[in-house]
Amino acid sequence: MSLIPTIQAASLWGGLLILLMFGLSGVVVNRRRKHMVEFGDGGERELVCATRAFANAAEYIPAGMCGLILLAFLGAPALLIHAVGGTLFAGRVIHALGLLFQQGPSLGRSVGMILTWLALLVAAVSLIGWSIL
């Protein structure tokens, strides 16, 4: 079986997830400029939320990308990699939007985390399954 379609699938989602992190870091920079904060968040709620949106993505995306890459190298179906990658990407986007545009606990944050955890769980179980088959 050729690994190229699976590596391409993992590459697609890896690239999109990196662009998401790039975009979120841009939001942090813009809000720091807006509030004239050189380091940290300066206690500005808008900047606190932007920083957490980026940091949360930075906490979860690397594990997801590792899972995608390992699944690709194990020869998992491209459809599985697209499902995991798409779910992870959607979860991270929805979570970030919930942090950036909603006050306090939000549906966006909750849905985003559920999708993220689902993607990571499916990746983990699939990796274990593919490693023993």
Side-chain angles (χ1 to χ4, degrees):
M1 174 187 331
S2 172
L3 294 179
I4 291 178
T6 59
I7 292 170
Q8 288 174 324
S11 297
L12 169 68
W13 295 111
L16 288 171
L17 289 162
I18 291 168
L19 286 176
L20 175 60
M21 290 185 67
F22 185 72
L24 291 173
S25 70
V27 172
V28 172
V29 169
N30 287 336
R31 290 187 180 180
R32 280 194 177 135
R33 286 182 179 156
K34 176 182 174 183
H35 295 288
M36 294 188 294
V37 174
E38 188 174 348
F39 297 107
D41 56 41
E44 296 287 343
R45 175 157 177 69
E46 191 177 44
L47 187 50
V48 169
C49 292
T51 302
R52 280 309 311 152
F54 173 78
N56 201 274
E59 292 163 359
Y60 284 97
I61 286 175
M65 287 176 62
C66 286
L68 292 170
I69 292 165
L70 289 170
L71 284 169
F73 280 118
L74 286 171
L79 183 59
L80 174 63
I81 293 169
H82 283 301
V84 170
T87 302
L88 178 62
F89 184 76
R92 294 292 79 217
V93 167
I94 293 167
H95 184 270
L97 293 173
L99 268 170
L100 294 172
F101 298 110
Q102 297 174 329
Q103 295 287 325
S106 68
L107 182 61
R109 287 175 62 195
S110 298
V111 169
M113 282 312 304
I114 290 168
L115 290 173
T116 298
W117 288 336
L118 178 62
L120 293 177
L121 181 62
V122 169
V125 170
S126 298
L127 284 168
I128 292 167
W130 246 265
S131 70
I132 59 175
L133 289 179

